[in-house]
Amino acid sequence: MNKLAVWKLASCDGCQLTLLDCEDELLSVAARVEIAYFLEASSARGKGPYDLSLVEGSITTPDDLERIGHIRRVSKHLVTIGACATAGGVQALRNLADVREFASVVYARPGYIKTLDRSTPVSAHVPVDFELRGCPIDKRQLLEVIGAFLAERRPVVPAHSVCVECKARGNPCVLIAHGTPFLGPVTQAGCGALCPAFNRGCFGCFGPMESPNPAALNARLRAAGMGDDELARVYRTFNVTSFGGSRDA
């Protein structure tokens, strides 16, 4: 039976919880794999090597850097899950400033903090077999990825934009109808257009779609009255490094 391991680096645990939220589907997964290591769900620490490792979280500390090397060595296949693991996460906002300054403001004794200057995706340090994006990831896509690796095939996830999902749901375009800042045209599908369905803007949770055209979107947002600083902030969320972190993303 194939061995599955789920690992956490610097993250909020949301993507691991997505696996637990699979509920009935998780029973089917458990029947086909041995969930050997998953501390979010069990204190059991089954020994590797592992056929498939799911890694949540970015590389932000020296300990993260050391652990990801070990995880790669004991894993036949390594899949990163979520914006932190695939793009550095919201904590990658530190990459735009001096992390020591942040630490001095947040912590009473910053000298005890051991952190890297930058928050980086796992793929910046070790080979990754597949990246599953989202903040958090979508459980349907997660089950597809696990099933694909069990069947030894490439996972099939959408490469089109959130706008396609909006059209499929019959949502009015919040950018056109309300002038709401919206990253849907440049964001990969996967959320089911959840926020636009409730007349909220798209925050780019799944990162940039395949072949995005941010220049066209930026022109539309500027025409709606958005200044350069505000435009930069729109992109500086969960996938700041993937989107470039600036108005020129």
Side-chain angles (χ1 to χ4, degrees), residues 5 7 48-53 69-77:
W7 309 84
Y50 308 100
D51 296 287
L52 175 62
S53 278
H70 166 74
I71 293 168
R72 179 68 272 187
R73 287 191 295 273
V74 299
S75 305
K76 179 180 178 181
H77 298 296

Side-chain angles (χ1 to χ4, degrees), residues 79 129-130 132 141 144-149 153-157:
V79 172
D129 296 293
F130 190 79
L132 183 62
Q141 291 188 4
E144 159 62 18
V145 168
I146 294 173
F149 277 94
R153 62 173 176 82
R154 187 72 175 171
V156 178
V157 298

